């Protein structure tokens, strides 16, 4: 079972590395765009010296992995090494395959961000990193609670600001658009397209709401003990986590039972309980 999971993860990393390389060599470099992190540095060295992006990527990322390996588990480091090897190979063999989109640099930036984001998102989803700024983004995720995409975005902006001296301010601005799109795509792939929301319900008919939501939506509900601040009356507060798309259905159920119910909805960043995502997907 573990071997099957590992094999699937490695296949996902390899496919992600290929898509990432295509995003760089087919969309970014032919249109003289840059990137953030180590990838941005490799692209700039290609513009200046025509050094192979794959070789430069491998050298720089290997150095960073050597420095940052102690901050990650063995599994993540091994997966990251696999990612670095294959992304470097694909960057090397696919160089010069793209053509400049003369009429619309914005279109090139959007597709560069989309493909690079999909590739990196697949790598992160499998449990690895692409090395470079991704290692720093993972540290920001662990220490600061930032999403992976947000951490990479901050780091990438700093690198792009420097690359503006090589590619020009206009191309640098297009690159920012590309990186922003990529960061959003990464978040969707890593954290899931289905956003989750936490719902608190205060109703005069808590038992009926509990019964209807449990039966019609197949969702577990936690019952909390509450007390009115003004009335001092004891109340049951219902708490549940659902997919964002299910909010409308939940509202209809509550309104049919108790139109005067007090309901608050909060965005959920992450759920830690093992197996909860599988439960969340039912219904």
């Amino acid at each position: 079972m573990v071997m099957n999971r590992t094999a699937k993860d490695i296949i996902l990393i390899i496919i992600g590395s290929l898509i990432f390389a295509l995003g760089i060599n087919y969309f970014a470099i032919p249109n003289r765009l840059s990137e953030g992190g180590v990838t941005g540095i490799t692209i700039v060295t290609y513009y200046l010296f025509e050094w192979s992006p794959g070789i430069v990527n491998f050298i720089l990322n290997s150095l960073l992995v050597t420095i940052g390996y102690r901050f990650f588990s063995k599994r993540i480091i091994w997966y990251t090494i696999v990612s670095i090897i294959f992304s470097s190979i694909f960057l090397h063999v696919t160089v010069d395959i793209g053509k400049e989109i003369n009429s619309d640099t914005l279109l090139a930036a959007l597709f560069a961000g989309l493909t690079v984001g999909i590739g990196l998102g697949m790598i992160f989803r499998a449990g690895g990193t692409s090395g470079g700024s991704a290692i720093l983004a993972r540290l920001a995720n662990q220490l600061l609670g930032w999403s992976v995409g947000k951490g990479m975005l901050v780091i990438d902006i700093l690198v792009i600001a420097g690359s503006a001296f090589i590619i020009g301010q206009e191309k640098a601005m297009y690159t920012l658009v590309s990186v922003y799109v990529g960061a959003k795509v990464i978040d969707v792939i890593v954290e899931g397209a289905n956003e989750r929301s936490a719902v608190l319900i205060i109703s005069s008919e808590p038992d009926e709401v509990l019964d209807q939501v449990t039966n019609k939506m197949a969702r577990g509900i936690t019952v909390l003990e509450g007390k009115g601040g003004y009335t001092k009356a004891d109340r049951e507060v219902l708490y549940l986590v659902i997919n964002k798309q299910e909010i409308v259905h939940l509202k209809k159920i509550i309104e049919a039972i108790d139109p005067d119910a007090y309901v608050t909805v909060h965005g959920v960043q992450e759920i830690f309980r093992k197996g909860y995502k599988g439960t969340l997907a039912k219904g």
Side-chain angles (χ1 to χ4, degrees):
M1 194 72 176
V2 175
M3 289 297 293
N4 289 337
R5 169 67 185 279
T6 301
K8 289 179 181 178
D9 287 343
I10 291 177
I11 291 173
L12 194 64
I13 289 173
I14 293 173
I15 296 174
S17 298
L18 175 60
I19 295 173
F20 163 75
L22 290 175
I24 297 300
N25 284 331
Y26 195 85
F27 292 110
I29 289 180
N31 294 279
R32 202 166 177 81
L33 300 172
S34 185
E35 264 292 332
V38 169
T39 306
I41 297 173
T42 63
I43 291 176
V44 169
T45 59
Y46 176 80
Y47 292 150
L48 291 175
F49 312 111
E50 294 189 356
W51 291 349
S52 167
I55 294 175
V56 176
N57 181 75
F58 180 79
I59 293 173
L60 294 179
N61 278 314
S62 296
L63 291 173
L64 286 172
V65 169
T66 301
I67 296 170
Y69 77 92
R70 64 178 64 90
F71 298 107
F72 299 91
S73 67
K74 290 182 179 180
R75 176 173 165 275
I76 292 178
I77 289 299
W78 279 114
Y79 280 8
T80 298
I81 291 173
V82 171
S83 167
I84 291 172
I85 291 173
F86 279 96
S87 63
S88 298
I89 291 173
F90 291 138
L91 280 170
H92 184 70
V93 300
T94 62
V95 70
D96 295 331
I97 67 168
K99 295 182 179 179
E100 181 180 3
I101 304 177
N102 294 312
S103 59
D104 199 338
T105 305
L106 178 60
L107 185 63
L110 292 174
F111 273 89
L114 179 64
T115 49
V116 169
I118 291 173
L120 291 179
M122 292 173 69
I123 292 171
F124 291 142
R125 183 84 184 204
T129 75
S130 61
S133 60
I135 291 179
L136 298 177
R138 283 283 186 176
L139 289 175
N141 175 257
Q142 292 183 9
L143 300 177
L144 303 177
W146 291 2
S147 69
V148 174
K150 178 180 178 180
M152 292 190 68
L153 182 61
V154 172
I155 298 166
D156 290 348
I157 288 174
L158 297 176
V159 175
I160 293 169
S163 68
F165 294 99
I166 307 300
I167 62 176
Q169 292 183 358
E170 182 180 355
K171 293 291 186 179
M173 287 188 285
Y174 280 122
T175 298
L176 280 174
V177 173
S178 174
V179 170
Y180 180 80
V181 171
K184 292 301 180 182
V185 173
I186 289 171
D187 279 345
V188 168
I189 294 177
V190 173
E191 298 176 3
N194 294 325
E195 294 184 47
R196 288 153 288 169
S197 298
V199 183
L200 283 172
I201 306 167
I202 301 176
S203 170
S204 59
E205 301 290 342
D207 293 336
E208 182 66 16
V209 173
L210 173 62
D211 181 65
Q212 290 294 313
V213 172
T214 301
N215 292 328
K216 292 184 178 181
M217 300 185 66
R219 290 290 177 263
I221 297 181
T222 299
V223 180
L224 307 174
E225 295 296 332
K227 177 180 287 189
Y230 178 74
T231 64
K232 308 300 181 183
D234 292 332
R235 283 182 174 272
E236 290 185 344
V237 180
L238 306 180
Y239 174 84
L240 72 157
V241 177
I242 58 176
N243 293 329
K244 196 169 185 178
Q245 300 94 313
E246 296 177 303
I247 292 176
V248 174
H249 186 197
L250 176 64
K251 286 172 65 177
K252 289 180 179 179
I253 292 175
I254 297 172
E255 287 174 357
I257 300 170
D258 182 7
D260 297 322
Y262 180 81
V263 181
T264 61
V265 180
H266 311 273
V268 175
Q269 179 68 28
E270 191 170 0
I271 296 177
F272 293 100
R273 183 164 74 87
K274 185 176 181 181
Y276 193 83
K277 289 183 179 179
T279 301
L280 201 60
K282 292 180 181 178

